[in-house]
Amino acid sequence: LFPEVIVVSRKVGKYGDLGCREVCDNIPQKGAIAGILTGLTESVTDYIFTAACDMPFIKEEVISLIVSKGQDYSVCLPELSGKKHPLHALYSRKSCYSMMEFIKGGNKSLVRFIASLPPEKVRYITEEEVRKVDPEALSIFNMNTPEELEFARKFITK
């Protein structure tokens, strides 16, 4: 889907077998927001799509939906059942300065960063929009607990 895939990690060389460009997180110990800022500054494009490493069922259709709806915004992300998903989102290079200032202020919450942006700069993809292309919304599923890992295993074996 994209001309370039970048993996941002704490240590370069860990994911060399994936066949993509690996870059070291420019601002260590600041969480995902710093990784996204690194990806934005390293990318050759004006926008980057982010996906968390614990999202096993991402779907091209959902990514394409987010990308197509997010071109005029600083951030475009899904919101399902009131929960925002900032790690499955489109970020504009235009948000770099705001993101850097937010981090410099001692903040690292992506949800708070997005909330700090002017509302007209953020596009939320609704649950209805997601479910039109992904009826079970599995592309938004991430694994953070042993129970979620077990669910993923059962789903894969279906």
Side-chain angles (χ1 to χ4, degrees):
L1 290 176
F2 303 105
E4 178 179 46
V5 175
I6 300 171
V7 173
V8 179
S9 64
R10 284 183 227 148
K11 185 177 178 185
V12 174
K14 190 174 180 182
Y15 302 101
D17 60 334
L18 295 178
C20 54
R21 185 159 69 105
E22 250 187 299
V23 297
C24 188
D25 197 342
N26 288 338
I27 310 169
Q29 308 301 318
K30 291 294 182 181
I33 192 168
I36 291 170
L37 182 58
T38 298
L40 280 167
T41 58
E42 291 285 335
S43 176
V44 297
T45 60
D46 288 334
Y47 290 88
I48 64 166
F49 179 81
T50 61
C53 61
D54 63 354
M55 299 179 91
F57 306 121
I58 60 175
K59 294 187 180 226
E60 180 178 332
E61 296 84 1
V62 174
I63 295 169
S64 295
L65 171 67
I66 293 167
V67 170
S68 70
K69 301 288 185 182
Q71 293 297 310
D72 296 324
Y73 298 91
S74 294
V75 183
C76 180
L77 68 154
E79 181 177 17
L80 283 79
S81 301
K83 184 173 181 346
K84 295 166 179 62
H85 297 274
L87 295 178
H88 199 66
L90 187 73
Y91 289 86
S92 169
R93 183 181 300 282
K94 292 176 185 175
S95 66
C96 283
Y97 178 78
S98 299
M99 197 176 289
M100 178 58 82
E101 291 300 306
F102 188 79
I103 293 168
K104 281 181 182 177
N107 302 297
K108 60 182 190 177
S109 166
L110 273 170
V111 172
R112 285 191 192 127
F113 166 70
I114 293 165
S116 76
L117 295 172
E120 67 274 9
K121 297 291 185 181
V122 180
R123 169 63 155 92
Y124 291 101
I125 303 296
T126 66
E127 185 164 349
E128 180 182 345
E129 289 174 298
V130 169
R131 290 191 185 276
K132 280 183 183 175
V133 295
D134 181 7
E136 295 176 302
L138 282 173
S139 55
I140 307 302
F141 171 78
N142 64 359
M143 298 181 299
N144 293 311
T145 67
E147 294 79 21
E148 291 166 340
L149 175 60
E150 188 57 32
F151 170 84
R153 285 183 175 145
K154 285 180 182 175
F155 183 81
I156 290 171
T157 58
K158 279 185 180 180

